[in-house]
Amino acid sequence: MKRIAFFPGSFDPISRGHEDIVLRALPLFDEIIVALGVNTAKTYMYSAEQRLEWIKKTFVDYPKVKVVSYQGLTIKACEKHKANFILRGLRNSNDYEYEKSIALMNQEMAPNIETLYLNTAPKWAAISSTSIRDIIKNQGNAEPFLASGVQL
Ligand code: ADP
């Protein structure tokens, strides 16, 4: 069985924390699909096209990483892409509680898809896309927190 992980998120924009999770998970999987979830009810700072371009650029040197976008339920998108794992990053106990409730419901709906978590590297634990957007909106330098493929 091929081990295919689905790494869903908004990536608005993709950060060093996101990049680090994918790179550290690479040895564990045959393929990692970084999946941009598009929620039509949500407003984003950057367009889906822009966010996808940055994600693709970040992982251009890694043939095991695929980049897609999807709408609707994550487990449905996993089934479509034949992913048998959902990969998530954990920064703190809030992330854990939030992720746990989603993972438990997903497990009930799709028992063949396991959710796996990696702890954030301490260096990136404070980073959130929300704070990055705040820095950018206030003309600060967000560069140290942005994934390698992001060019503002
Ligand atoms: P969502 O809108 O689903 O929360 P995000 O783009 O914010 O999407 O995050 C996608 C995934 O990356 C989530 O599992 C989140 O916990 C994780 N993540 C976010 N920031 C970091 C970080 N600094 N380090 C590690 N993982 C992170």
Side-chain angles (χ1 to χ4, degrees):
M1 180 187 72
K2 254 181 111 181
R3 288 161 303 168
I4 303 177
F6 202 76
F7 184 51
S10 316
F11 307 111
D12 189 26
I14 183 165
S15 72
R16 294 255 168 209
H18 296 130
E19 181 176 6
D20 179 65
I21 293 289
V22 173
L23 296 184
R24 284 170 43 224
L26 266 182
L28 304 174
F29 298 105
D30 298 302
E31 183 178 314
I32 297 181
I33 301 171
V34 182
L36 183 80
V38 181
N39 180 344
T40 45
K42 236 172 126 175
T43 50
Y44 300 99
M45 181 157 166
Y46 296 104
S47 70
E49 292 72 29
Q50 177 66 89
R51 285 177 283 149
L52 279 173
E53 186 191 315
W54 284 334
I55 300 169
K56 285 181 183 158
K57 232 171 143 199
T58 299
F59 300 110
V60 70
D61 294 329
Y62 298 91
K64 275 164 73 176
V65 179
K66 256 179 69 178
V67 181
V68 302
S69 65
Y70 73 102
Q71 285 196 15
L73 285 183
T74 302
I75 49 162
K76 291 233 165 120
C78 288
E79 282 159 4
K80 178 177 163 197
H81 292 282
K82 306 205 180 335
N84 34 14
F85 296 93
I86 294 174
L87 173 66
R88 298 293 281 174
L90 293 181
R91 285 163 292 188
N92 49 45
S93 52
N94 287 346
D95 272 357
Y96 174 68
E97 289 303 329
Y98 173 75
E99 295 294 342
K100 189 173 78 174
S101 58
I102 296 176
L104 290 179
M105 288 196 291
N106 281 340
Q107 184 157 48
E108 195 61 36
M109 293 185 287
N112 298 330
I113 302 174
E114 283 293 351
T115 301
L116 290 186
Y117 312 98
L118 282 190
N119 281 313
T120 308
K123 200 174 171 190
W124 311 123
I127 301 179
S128 68
S129 294
T130 309
S131 346
I132 290 179
R133 291 195 299 275
D134 273 346
I135 294 170
I136 295 169
K137 278 181 203 152
N138 292 291
Q139 292 82 44
N141 176 21
E143 201 273 331
F145 313 119
L146 294 167
S148 54
V150 180
Q151 263 174 333
L152 295 178

